[in-house]
Amino acid sequence: MSLPIRFIKLLKEKVRVVNLQKKCTHSIAVIGAPFSKGQKWCGVEHGPAAIRKAGLIERLSGIGCDIYDVGDLNFAQVPDDKLYNNTVKYPRTVGLACQVLADEVNRVVGAGHTCITLGGDHSLALGSISGHAQHCSDLCVVWVDAHADINTPLTTSSGNLHGQPVSFLLRELQDKAHFPDTSLHCRHHHFRVRRICTWKANTHLHVRSHLVPLIPGFSWIKPCISTSDIVYIGLRDLDPAEQFILKKYDITYHSMRQIDCFGIQKVMEKTFDQLLGRRQRAIHLSFDIDAFDPVLAPATGTPVIGGLTYREGMYITEEIHNTGGDCGSRVGGLSNMEWWP
């Protein structure tokens, strides 16, 4: 081989490597979301500061990521934020916070960043996923959690919205009737009474109570994923209504028992077979710290024994990172929730 030809081949290879490195450079936006009104305890709003103090930004920079730290968002509490249906707490405040977060996630994803949201309670996933979906119409979600967070305003017993975000995101769960606000209290109170009696009788869920009504503060939300676009990993604490919804809509979940039986590698293979197959689509990873066993991660408000090990949790994130081949991940958004320093 002559010298000029060899030189040209080497030059082409060098250009290819440089282009690949440019393509593979990760630009990450970090958004702090110090919010706690989706549940009843104080403390989770300090999560973003604690995660930053632990060195997140420095570690990301150290592995070659370009960092755009947005800082912490400001969330206002809506005055006189009355219960919805005598049960759901702070609906206007939570709805507004999620809208603020959705707008910011939308902005940074639109600017080309991968977005990391530091919570904050898990009600905020409604905002982070909604914002991400505005730029990714074919978005899929991997939800790692001890809980399904798929109660509706009519099935929740606690009234805490951190246990309900998924129901607002799913197209199939929306109540097409959307009863007028003037009749909400009466009609929904009836559903609520029927729901309680239903669970005590251990019979079927009321025909409409598993659907999501229009509640104050949530009129901006547009359901953005279908039931086939989400897979749960790590579930081990489900309410009866959540069991009903998961079964009725054939929503895929891998409980801790399934992880014990098949192993985390098989679980991730099944997850990707469903969500990706041969398709090119963006992934949003929503990771609740209580997915880990509380012996490993006690700093959460809703611990449930028998959770993920450190290696199982790491394997989930490693495999998601590897979905993009040489250039890393298809993940466009990550929600890190329920950290209690």
Side-chain angles (χ1 to χ4, degrees), residues 233-255:
I233 298 174
L235 297 188
R236 58 192 184 277
D237 185 13
L238 297 174
D239 292 338
E242 294 180 306
Q243 296 178 33
F244 174 89
I245 293 170
L246 292 174
K247 183 177 180 180
K248 177 177 176 61
Y249 292 98
D250 196 24
I251 299 172
T252 300
Y253 66 92
H254 301 290
S255 66

PDB file of all heavy atoms in Angstrom, residues 233-255:
ATOM      1  N   ILE A 233     -40.277  -1.696  37.733  1.00  0.00           N
ATOM      2  CA  ILE A 233     -39.280  -2.629  38.265  1.00  0.00           C
ATOM      3  C   ILE A 233     -39.154  -2.404  39.775  1.00  0.00           C
ATOM      4  O   ILE A 233     -38.999  -1.270  40.228  1.00  0.00           O
ATOM      5  CB  ILE A 233     -37.903  -2.427  37.605  1.00  0.00           C
ATOM      6  CG1 ILE A 233     -37.985  -2.693  36.099  1.00  0.00           C
ATOM      7  CG2 ILE A 233     -36.851  -3.339  38.241  1.00  0.00           C
ATOM      8  CD1 ILE A 233     -36.697  -2.381  35.350  1.00  0.00           C
ATOM      9  N   GLY A 234     -39.249  -3.492  40.537  1.00  0.00           N
ATOM     10  CA  GLY A 234     -39.021  -3.419  41.980  1.00  0.00           C
ATOM     11  C   GLY A 234     -40.265  -3.328  42.843  1.00  0.00           C
ATOM     12  O   GLY A 234     -40.159  -3.156  44.063  1.00  0.00           O
ATOM     13  N   LEU A 235     -41.462  -3.462  42.261  1.00  0.00           N
ATOM     14  CA  LEU A 235     -42.694  -3.303  43.035  1.00  0.00           C
ATOM     15  C   LEU A 235     -42.808  -4.365  44.127  1.00  0.00           C
ATOM     16  O   LEU A 235     -42.481  -5.529  43.934  1.00  0.00           O
ATOM     17  CB  LEU A 235     -43.921  -3.400  42.121  1.00  0.00           C
ATOM     18  CG  LEU A 235     -44.087  -2.348  41.026  1.00  0.00           C
ATOM     19  CD1 LEU A 235     -45.456  -2.495  40.361  1.00  0.00           C
ATOM     20  CD2 LEU A 235     -43.898  -0.936  41.563  1.00  0.00           C
ATOM     21  N   ARG A 236     -43.315  -3.920  45.290  1.00  0.00           N
ATOM     22  CA  ARG A 236     -43.567  -4.858  46.387  1.00  0.00           C
ATOM     23  C   ARG A 236     -44.590  -4.332  47.387  1.00  0.00           C
ATOM     24  O   ARG A 236     -44.824  -4.974  48.422  1.00  0.00           O
ATOM     25  CB  ARG A 236     -42.261  -5.205  47.103  1.00  0.00           C
ATOM     26  CG  ARG A 236     -41.507  -4.018  47.670  1.00  0.00           C
ATOM     27  CD  ARG A 236     -40.111  -4.443  48.086  1.00  0.00           C
ATOM     28  NE  ARG A 236     -39.345  -3.372  48.728  1.00  0.00           N
ATOM     29  CZ  ARG A 236     -38.686  -2.436  48.049  1.00  0.00           C
ATOM     30  NH1 ARG A 236     -38.709  -2.436  46.720  1.00  0.00           N
ATOM     31  NH2 ARG A 236     -37.994  -1.508  48.691  1.00  0.00           N
ATOM     32  N   ASP A 237     -45.216  -3.196  47.103  1.00  0.00           N
ATOM     33  CA  ASP A 237     -46.208  -2.640  48.028  1.00  0.00           C
ATOM     34  C   ASP A 237     -47.300  -1.956  47.205  1.00  0.00           C
ATOM     35  O   ASP A 237     -47.178  -0.787  46.831  1.00  0.00           O
ATOM     36  CB  ASP A 237     -45.542  -1.640  48.975  1.00  0.00           C
ATOM     37  CG  ASP A 237     -46.508  -1.129  50.041  1.00  0.00           C
ATOM     38  OD1 ASP A 237     -47.599  -1.712  50.196  1.00  0.00           O
ATOM     39  OD2 ASP A 237     -46.171  -0.129  50.714  1.00  0.00           O
ATOM     40  N   LEU A 238     -48.381  -2.698  46.917  1.00  0.00           N
ATOM     41  CA  LEU A 238     -49.450  -2.198  46.054  1.00  0.00           C
ATOM     42  C   LEU A 238     -50.759  -2.100  46.817  1.00  0.00           C
ATOM     43  O   LEU A 238     -51.114  -2.988  47.595  1.00  0.00           O
ATOM     44  CB  LEU A 238     -49.653  -3.123  44.853  1.00  0.00           C
ATOM     45  CG  LEU A 238     -48.484  -3.271  43.878  1.00  0.00           C
ATOM     46  CD1 LEU A 238     -48.804  -4.338  42.840  1.00  0.00           C
ATOM     47  CD2 LEU A 238     -48.167  -1.947  43.209  1.00  0.00           C
ATOM     48  N   ASP A 239     -51.497  -1.012  46.576  1.00  0.00           N
ATOM     49  CA  ASP A 239     -52.859  -0.898  47.093  1.00  0.00           C
ATOM     50  C   ASP A 239     -53.796  -1.752  46.242  1.00  0.00           C
ATOM     51  O   ASP A 239     -53.502  -2.037  45.069  1.00  0.00           O
ATOM     52  CB  ASP A 239     -53.319   0.557  47.050  1.00  0.00           C
ATOM     53  CG  ASP A 239     -52.556   1.439  48.019  1.00  0.00           C
ATOM     54  OD1 ASP A 239     -51.985   0.894  48.984  1.00  0.00           O
ATOM     55  OD2 ASP A 239     -52.530   2.665  47.806  1.00  0.00           O
ATOM     56  N   PRO A 240     -54.943  -2.150  46.793  1.00  0.00           N
ATOM     57  CA  PRO A 240     -55.896  -2.960  46.004  1.00  0.00           C
ATOM     58  C   PRO A 240     -56.299  -2.299  44.690  1.00  0.00           C
ATOM     59  O   PRO A 240     -56.406  -2.961  43.666  1.00  0.00           O
ATOM     60  CB  PRO A 240     -57.089  -3.104  46.954  1.00  0.00           C
ATOM     61  CG  PRO A 240     -56.495  -3.008  48.315  1.00  0.00           C
ATOM     62  CD  PRO A 240     -55.380  -2.006  48.198  1.00  0.00           C
ATOM     63  N   ALA A 241     -56.536  -0.989  44.724  1.00  0.00           N
ATOM     64  CA  ALA A 241     -56.930  -0.293  43.497  1.00  0.00           C
ATOM     65  C   ALA A 241     -55.815  -0.345  42.460  1.00  0.00           C
ATOM     66  O   ALA A 241     -56.067  -0.477  41.254  1.00  0.00           O
ATOM     67  CB  ALA A 241     -57.289   1.152  43.805  1.00  0.00           C
ATOM     68  N   GLU A 242     -54.574  -0.240  42.916  1.00  0.00           N
ATOM     69  CA  GLU A 242     -53.447  -0.294  41.988  1.00  0.00           C
ATOM     70  C   GLU A 242     -53.331  -1.682  41.358  1.00  0.00           C
ATOM     71  O   GLU A 242     -53.046  -1.810  40.153  1.00  0.00           O
ATOM     72  CB  GLU A 242     -52.155   0.071  42.717  1.00  0.00           C
ATOM     73  CG  GLU A 242     -52.117   1.510  43.189  1.00  0.00           C
ATOM     74  CD  GLU A 242     -50.827   1.852  43.905  1.00  0.00           C
ATOM     75  OE1 GLU A 242     -50.478   1.143  44.863  1.00  0.00           O
ATOM     76  OE2 GLU A 242     -50.177   2.827  43.495  1.00  0.00           O
ATOM     77  N   GLN A 243     -53.554  -2.721  42.159  1.00  0.00           N
ATOM     78  CA  GLN A 243     -53.546  -4.074  41.617  1.00  0.00           C
ATOM     79  C   GLN A 243     -54.611  -4.222  40.543  1.00  0.00           C
ATOM     80  O   GLN A 243     -54.365  -4.826  39.490  1.00  0.00           O
ATOM     81  CB  GLN A 243     -53.766  -5.087  42.739  1.00  0.00           C
ATOM     82  CG  GLN A 243     -52.660  -5.119  43.770  1.00  0.00           C
ATOM     83  CD  GLN A 243     -52.943  -6.102  44.893  1.00  0.00           C
ATOM     84  OE1 GLN A 243     -53.558  -7.145  44.682  1.00  0.00           O
ATOM     85  NE2 GLN A 243     -52.507  -5.783  46.095  1.00  0.00           N
ATOM     86  N   PHE A 244     -55.783  -3.664  40.806  1.00  0.00           N
ATOM     87  CA  PHE A 244     -56.875  -3.720  39.840  1.00  0.00           C
ATOM     88  C   PHE A 244     -56.494  -3.026  38.538  1.00  0.00           C
ATOM     89  O   PHE A 244     -56.694  -3.562  37.438  1.00  0.00           O
ATOM     90  CB  PHE A 244     -58.121  -3.064  40.437  1.00  0.00           C
ATOM     91  CG  PHE A 244     -59.279  -2.942  39.468  1.00  0.00           C
ATOM     92  CD1 PHE A 244     -60.197  -3.965  39.341  1.00  0.00           C
ATOM     93  CD2 PHE A 244     -59.426  -1.809  38.679  1.00  0.00           C
ATOM     94  CE1 PHE A 244     -61.262  -3.853  38.445  1.00  0.00           C
ATOM     95  CE2 PHE A 244     -60.475  -1.688  37.783  1.00  0.00           C
ATOM     96  CZ  PHE A 244     -61.396  -2.716  37.662  1.00  0.00           C
ATOM     97  N   ILE A 245     -55.934  -1.830  38.635  1.00  0.00           N
ATOM     98  CA  ILE A 245     -55.572  -1.051  37.439  1.00  0.00           C
ATOM     99  C   ILE A 245     -54.482  -1.755  36.638  1.00  0.00           C
ATOM    100  O   ILE A 245     -54.562  -1.859  35.408  1.00  0.00           O
ATOM    101  CB  ILE A 245     -55.127   0.370  37.840  1.00  0.00           C
ATOM    102  CG1 ILE A 245     -56.319   1.148  38.409  1.00  0.00           C
ATOM    103  CG2 ILE A 245     -54.531   1.110  36.651  1.00  0.00           C
ATOM    104  CD1 ILE A 245     -55.940   2.463  39.061  1.00  0.00           C
ATOM    105  N   LEU A 246     -53.448  -2.244  37.315  1.00  0.00           N
ATOM    106  CA  LEU A 246     -52.366  -2.942  36.621  1.00  0.00           C
ATOM    107  C   LEU A 246     -52.887  -4.154  35.857  1.00  0.00           C
ATOM    108  O   LEU A 246     -52.474  -4.424  34.720  1.00  0.00           O
ATOM    109  CB  LEU A 246     -51.285  -3.367  37.614  1.00  0.00           C
ATOM    110  CG  LEU A 246     -50.477  -2.252  38.270  1.00  0.00           C
ATOM    111  CD1 LEU A 246     -49.552  -2.833  39.340  1.00  0.00           C
ATOM    112  CD2 LEU A 246     -49.661  -1.472  37.244  1.00  0.00           C
ATOM    113  N   LYS A 247     -53.799  -4.877  36.490  1.00  0.00           N
ATOM    114  CA  LYS A 247     -54.354  -6.073  35.848  1.00  0.00           C
ATOM    115  C   LYS A 247     -55.307  -5.711  34.716  1.00  0.00           C
ATOM    116  O   LYS A 247     -55.237  -6.284  33.627  1.00  0.00           O
ATOM    117  CB  LYS A 247     -55.071  -6.938  36.885  1.00  0.00           C
ATOM    118  CG  LYS A 247     -55.626  -8.235  36.320  1.00  0.00           C
ATOM    119  CD  LYS A 247     -56.258  -9.095  37.405  1.00  0.00           C
ATOM    120  CE  LYS A 247     -56.809 -10.397  36.818  1.00  0.00           C
ATOM    121  NZ  LYS A 247     -57.429 -11.253  37.869  1.00  0.00           N
ATOM    122  N   LYS A 248     -56.185  -4.757  34.958  1.00  0.00           N
ATOM    123  CA  LYS A 248     -57.196  -4.380  33.957  1.00  0.00           C
ATOM    124  C   LYS A 248     -56.551  -3.894  32.663  1.00  0.00           C
ATOM    125  O   LYS A 248     -57.010  -4.220  31.566  1.00  0.00           O
ATOM    126  CB  LYS A 248     -58.121  -3.294  34.517  1.00  0.00           C
ATOM    127  CG  LYS A 248     -59.162  -2.786  33.509  1.00  0.00           C
ATOM    128  CD  LYS A 248     -60.087  -1.762  34.138  1.00  0.00           C
ATOM    129  CE  LYS A 248     -61.046  -1.195  33.092  1.00  0.00           C
ATOM    130  NZ  LYS A 248     -61.911  -2.246  32.499  1.00  0.00           N
ATOM    131  N   TYR A 249     -55.469  -3.113  32.792  1.00  0.00           N
ATOM    132  CA  TYR A 249     -54.838  -2.524  31.613  1.00  0.00           C
ATOM    133  C   TYR A 249     -53.573  -3.273  31.182  1.00  0.00           C
ATOM    134  O   TYR A 249     -52.848  -2.802  30.314  1.00  0.00           O
ATOM    135  CB  TYR A 249     -54.533  -1.048  31.873  1.00  0.00           C
ATOM    136  CG  TYR A 249     -55.801  -0.234  31.987  1.00  0.00           C
ATOM    137  CD1 TYR A 249     -56.331   0.082  33.236  1.00  0.00           C
ATOM    138  CD2 TYR A 249     -56.483   0.189  30.850  1.00  0.00           C
ATOM    139  CE1 TYR A 249     -57.511   0.797  33.344  1.00  0.00           C
ATOM    140  CE2 TYR A 249     -57.653   0.912  30.947  1.00  0.00           C
ATOM    141  CZ  TYR A 249     -58.165   1.210  32.199  1.00  0.00           C
ATOM    142  OH  TYR A 249     -59.344   1.921  32.303  1.00  0.00           O
ATOM    143  N   ASP A 250     -53.346  -4.433  31.781  1.00  0.00           N
ATOM    144  CA  ASP A 250     -52.234  -5.305  31.401  1.00  0.00           C
ATOM    145  C   ASP A 250     -50.912  -4.528  31.383  1.00  0.00           C
ATOM    146  O   ASP A 250     -50.128  -4.606  30.424  1.00  0.00           O
ATOM    147  CB  ASP A 250     -52.510  -5.926  30.028  1.00  0.00           C
ATOM    148  CG  ASP A 250     -51.598  -7.117  29.742  1.00  0.00           C
ATOM    149  OD1 ASP A 250     -51.113  -7.728  30.709  1.00  0.00           O
ATOM    150  OD2 ASP A 250     -51.354  -7.403  28.549  1.00  0.00           O
ATOM    151  N   ILE A 251     -50.677  -3.763  32.447  1.00  0.00           N
ATOM    152  CA  ILE A 251     -49.455  -2.966  32.563  1.00  0.00           C
ATOM    153  C   ILE A 251     -48.324  -3.859  33.084  1.00  0.00           C
ATOM    154  O   ILE A 251     -48.482  -4.552  34.086  1.00  0.00           O
ATOM    155  CB  ILE A 251     -49.679  -1.764  33.494  1.00  0.00           C
ATOM    156  CG1 ILE A 251     -50.775  -0.852  32.912  1.00  0.00           C
ATOM    157  CG2 ILE A 251     -48.384  -0.987  33.694  1.00  0.00           C
ATOM    158  CD1 ILE A 251     -51.207   0.262  33.844  1.00  0.00           C
ATOM    159  N   THR A 252     -47.204  -3.821  32.407  1.00  0.00           N
ATOM    160  CA  THR A 252     -46.090  -4.707  32.749  1.00  0.00           C
ATOM    161  C   THR A 252     -45.368  -4.232  34.005  1.00  0.00           C
ATOM    162  O   THR A 252     -45.015  -3.053  34.116  1.00  0.00           O
ATOM    163  CB  THR A 252     -45.073  -4.777  31.595  1.00  0.00           C
ATOM    164  OG1 THR A 252     -45.742  -5.274  30.431  1.00  0.00           O
ATOM    165  CG2 THR A 252     -43.913  -5.700  31.941  1.00  0.00           C
ATOM    166  N   TYR A 253     -45.176  -5.142  34.930  1.00  0.00           N
ATOM    167  CA  TYR A 253     -44.358  -4.821  36.101  1.00  0.00           C
ATOM    168  C   TYR A 253     -43.559  -6.046  36.515  1.00  0.00           C
ATOM    169  O   TYR A 253     -44.000  -7.187  36.338  1.00  0.00           O
ATOM    170  CB  TYR A 253     -45.220  -4.313  37.265  1.00  0.00           C
ATOM    171  CG  TYR A 253     -46.169  -5.320  37.868  1.00  0.00           C
ATOM    172  CD1 TYR A 253     -45.787  -6.106  38.961  1.00  0.00           C
ATOM    173  CD2 TYR A 253     -47.466  -5.469  37.381  1.00  0.00           C
ATOM    174  CE1 TYR A 253     -46.653  -7.016  39.535  1.00  0.00           C
ATOM    175  CE2 TYR A 253     -48.349  -6.368  37.942  1.00  0.00           C
ATOM    176  CZ  TYR A 253     -47.935  -7.149  39.015  1.00  0.00           C
ATOM    177  OH  TYR A 253     -48.789  -8.060  39.571  1.00  0.00           O
ATOM    178  N   HIS A 254     -42.373  -5.787  37.020  1.00  0.00           N
ATOM    179  CA  HIS A 254     -41.503  -6.840  37.524  1.00  0.00           C
ATOM    180  C   HIS A 254     -41.338  -6.618  39.026  1.00  0.00           C
ATOM    181  O   HIS A 254     -40.630  -5.710  39.463  1.00  0.00           O
ATOM    182  CB  HIS A 254     -40.152  -6.808  36.816  1.00  0.00           C
ATOM    183  CG  HIS A 254     -40.256  -6.965  35.332  1.00  0.00           C
ATOM    184  ND1 HIS A 254     -40.617  -8.155  34.734  1.00  0.00           N
ATOM    185  CD2 HIS A 254     -40.074  -6.074  34.313  1.00  0.00           C
ATOM    186  CE1 HIS A 254     -40.641  -8.010  33.427  1.00  0.00           C
ATOM    187  NE2 HIS A 254     -40.319  -6.751  33.144  1.00  0.00           N
ATOM    188  N   SER A 255     -42.021  -7.438  39.788  1.00  0.00           N
ATOM    189  CA  SER A 255     -41.979  -7.312  41.242  1.00  0.00           C
ATOM    190  C   SER A 255     -40.650  -7.844  41.766  1.00  0.00           C
ATOM    191  O   SER A 255     -39.856  -8.452  41.041  1.00  0.00           O
ATOM    192  CB  SER A 255     -43.135  -8.104  41.859  1.00  0.00           C
ATOM    193  OG  SER A 255     -42.938  -9.502  41.623  1.00  0.00           O
TER     194      SER A 255
END
